[in-house]
């Protein structure tokens, strides 16, 4: 990834080392102070980013996603063909960043995508629950890489995290990163299940410490998906981790991005907390499909239902 240091492969550390690492970061945060900070950013900063330029940029950061029980070769191919067609029909706009599917479709996507720069991406590691043996998760990830995945999204083991078993959480992320090799890996924190902003920050640090190239809010399969508060805390964690290590980790809000304003709020939080250098379509991604048509409609000035 551009401007991004590669992670050293690290082996599972004893819990004491993990606790030692966590001590370097400010985990003494309250939900109330986060809510107040987000409220201020939304009130004072979002309006200035409501521009055509920003909307074009956000379109180029979209991860076009299909993750349903009824996905088939035919339906996935239809989505890919839309991406291919879009490049010809809307040459004045940037293309989406990725097409995200389950691993069984990775080969199909990688072989049928014709637009240079759109990355075949898959969820892996027993998405969306992460409730499988680590051996199964690493094999699934390895097979996705074999089939052409250019990004892989895995899910942190939320149950073990909430039980305080950070060693297992870190070890599983590390093993899946080893299966990815140089392919960038996103770790989904499932922030809506973590219970507090302090937990979101801790999960962010543990994931980055274990090799995450991106941290991502949600699978979109739980009751609570991305929220401005979760994204604010994750940005704080990314900033502190960068200050500590020099490693730039990307961010992906995903799930529940229902309006252009939702996306603008996330863009603004990244800009205010992390700064302009995180505002590239490599380091900032938006996990949503409905946003594509909404942005196109605003950019063209008429209702568009292309995707």
């Amino acid at each position: 990834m551009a401007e991004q240091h590669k992670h050293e492969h690290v082996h599972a550390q004893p819990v004491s080392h993990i606790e030692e690492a966590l001590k370097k970061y400010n985990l003494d945060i309250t939900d109330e102070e986060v809510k107040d900070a987000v409220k201020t950013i939304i009130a004072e900063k979002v309006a200035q980013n409501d521009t055509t330029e920003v909307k074009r940029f956000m379109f180029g950061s979209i991860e076009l996603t299909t993750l349903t029980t009824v996905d088939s070769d035919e339906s996935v191919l239809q989505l890919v063909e839309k991406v291919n067609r879009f490049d010809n029909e809307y040459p004045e706009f940037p293309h989406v960043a990725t097409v995200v599917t389950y691993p069984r479709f990775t080969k199909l996507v990688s072989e049928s995508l014709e637009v240079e720069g759109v990355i075949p991406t898959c969820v892996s590691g027993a998405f969306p629950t992460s409730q499988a043996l680590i051996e199964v998760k690493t094999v699934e990830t390895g097979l996705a890489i074999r089939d052409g995945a250019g990004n892989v999204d895995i899910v942190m083991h939320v149950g073990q995290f909430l039980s305080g078993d950070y060693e297992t959480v870190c070890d599983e992320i590390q093993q899946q990163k080893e299966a990815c090799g140089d392919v960038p890996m996103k770790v989904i924190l499932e922030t809506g299940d973590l219970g507090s902003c302090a937990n979101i920050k801790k999960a962010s640090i543990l994931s980055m410490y274990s090799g995450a190239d991106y941290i991502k809010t949600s699978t979109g399969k739980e009751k609570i998906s991305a929220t401005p508060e979760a994204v604010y805390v994750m940005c704080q964690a990314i900033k502190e981790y960068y200050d500590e290590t020099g490693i730039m980790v990307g961010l992906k809000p995903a799930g529940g991005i229902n309006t252009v304003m939702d996306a603008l709020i996330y863009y603004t939080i990244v800009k205010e907390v992390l700064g302009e250098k995180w505002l590239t379509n490599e380091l900032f991604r938006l996990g949503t499909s409905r946003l594509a048509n909404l942005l196109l409609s605003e950019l063209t000035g008429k209702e568009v239902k292309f995707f």
Side-chain angles (χ1 to χ4, degrees), residues 105-247:
F105 302 112
T106 303
K107 194 166 191 287
L108 175 69
V109 173
S110 62
E111 289 177 351
S112 54
L113 258 179
E114 295 166 5
V115 185
E116 193 178 339
V118 180
I119 303 168
T121 298
C122 74
V123 296
S124 183
F127 178 96
T129 65
S130 199
Q131 298 287 14
L133 296 167
I134 184 59
E135 292 85 352
V136 174
K137 294 198 261 196
T138 52
V139 167
E140 184 179 40
T141 298
L143 290 171
I145 303 295
R146 180 202 68 183
D147 286 347
N151 276 187
V152 171
D153 295 19
I154 68 160
V155 186
M156 180 189 78
H157 200 296
V158 177
Q160 295 305 112
F161 173 85
L162 293 173
S163 300
D165 182 5
Y166 303 146
E167 185 174 10
T168 296
V169 169
C170 292
D171 183 53
E172 290 202 354
I173 294 170
Q174 287 165 1
Q175 287 193 50
Q176 288 176 87
K177 179 55 190 168
E178 284 171 12
C180 285
D182 290 336
V183 171
M185 183 183 79
K186 306 186 196 85
V187 177
I188 303 167
L189 309 181
E190 205 64 282
T191 51
D193 289 340
L194 294 182
S196 70
C197 288
N199 270 350
I200 292 170
K201 185 127 184 223
K202 189 180 286 186
S204 298
I205 298 296
L206 292 177
S207 297
M208 293 186 288
Y209 177 69
S210 304
D213 297 291
Y214 294 79
I215 50 177
K216 173 178 168 182
T217 57
S218 327
T219 60
K221 305 295 186 185
E222 295 290 275
K223 285 177 186 169
I224 302 172
S225 289
T227 65
E229 290 76 19
V231 169
Y232 177 83
V233 172
M234 290 164 73
C235 285
Q236 280 190 318
I238 288 169
K239 184 176 189 305
E240 288 178 33
Y241 186 76
Y242 173 68
D243 290 343
E244 181 69 34
T245 67
I247 297 169

Side-chain angles (χ1 to χ4, degrees), residues 11-296:
H11 298 288
Q13 302 288 345
V15 177
S16 58
H17 286 228
I18 293 168
E19 296 290 359
E20 210 58 45
L22 287 172
K23 283 179 189 170
K24 297 175 184 175
Y25 300 93
N26 175 26
L27 299 174
D28 185 23
I29 58 172
T30 68
D31 292 5
E32 207 51 51
E33 72 187 54
V34 169
K35 196 174 284 188
D36 289 344
V38 167
K39 202 172 169 184
T40 301
I41 289 173
I42 291 172
E44 296 177 3
K45 302 291 184 179
V46 171
Q48 67 195 41
N49 295 317
D50 190 358
T51 66
T52 299
E53 187 186 359
V54 169
K55 288 170 189 172
R56 284 174 62 90
F57 165 76
M58 291 195 303
F59 188 88
S61 290
I62 288 174
E63 300 215 352
L64 209 58
T65 303
T66 182
L67 297 168
T68 74
T69 305
V70 296
D71 287 346
S72 64
D73 288 354
E74 290 74 22
S75 67
V76 170
L77 195 55
Q78 279 178 353
L79 182 63
V80 173
E81 284 171 351
K82 284 178 184 175
V83 174
N84 292 340
R85 251 189 18 250
F86 180 83
D87 208 41
N88 294 320
E89 294 185 27
Y90 291 88
E92 70 276 26
F93 292 125
H95 54 67
V96 295
T98 74
V99 175
V100 186
T101 64
Y102 281 108
R104 64 170 295 129
F105 302 112
T106 303
K107 194 166 191 287
L108 175 69
V109 173
S110 62
E111 289 177 351
S112 54
L113 258 179
E114 295 166 5
V115 185
E116 193 178 339
V118 180
I119 303 168
T121 298
C122 74
V123 296
S124 183
F127 178 96
T129 65
S130 199
Q131 298 287 14
L133 296 167
I134 184 59
E135 292 85 352
V136 174
K137 294 198 261 196
T138 52
V139 167
E140 184 179 40
T141 298
L143 290 171
I145 303 295
R146 180 202 68 183
D147 286 347
N151 276 187
V152 171
D153 295 19
I154 68 160
V155 186
M156 180 189 78
H157 200 296
V158 177
Q160 295 305 112
F161 173 85
L162 293 173
S163 300
D165 182 5
Y166 303 146
E167 185 174 10
T168 296
V169 169
C170 292
D171 183 53
E172 290 202 354
I173 294 170
Q174 287 165 1
Q175 287 193 50
Q176 288 176 87
K177 179 55 190 168
E178 284 171 12
C180 285
D182 290 336
V183 171
M185 183 183 79
K186 306 186 196 85
V187 177
I188 303 167
L189 309 181
E190 205 64 282
T191 51
D193 289 340
L194 294 182
S196 70
C197 288
N199 270 350
I200 292 170
K201 185 127 184 223
K202 189 180 286 186
S204 298
I205 298 296
L206 292 177
S207 297
M208 293 186 288
Y209 177 69
S210 304
D213 297 291
Y214 294 79
I215 50 177
K216 173 178 168 182
T217 57
S218 327
T219 60
K221 305 295 186 185
E222 295 290 275
K223 285 177 186 169
I224 302 172
S225 289
T227 65
E229 290 76 19
V231 169
Y232 177 83
V233 172
M234 290 164 73
C235 285
Q236 280 190 318
I238 288 169
K239 184 176 189 305
E240 288 178 33
Y241 186 76
Y242 173 68
D243 290 343
E244 181 69 34
T245 67
I247 297 169
M248 294 177 79
V249 173
L251 174 77
K252 180 180 173 182
I257 303 175
N258 297 315
T259 65
V260 172
M261 183 51 67
D262 289 339
L264 279 170
I265 288 169
Y266 295 136
Y267 173 94
T268 304
I269 290 168
V270 171
K271 185 178 176 183
E272 293 304 313
V273 180
L274 289 169
E276 297 275 357
K277 63 181 174 181
W278 258 267
L279 293 173
T280 72
N281 79 337
E282 283 186 293
L283 288 167
F284 177 65
R285 298 277 177 75
L286 291 162
T288 172
S289 289
R290 64 175 66 88
L291 184 65
N293 286 334
L294 295 171
L295 280 171
L296 277 178

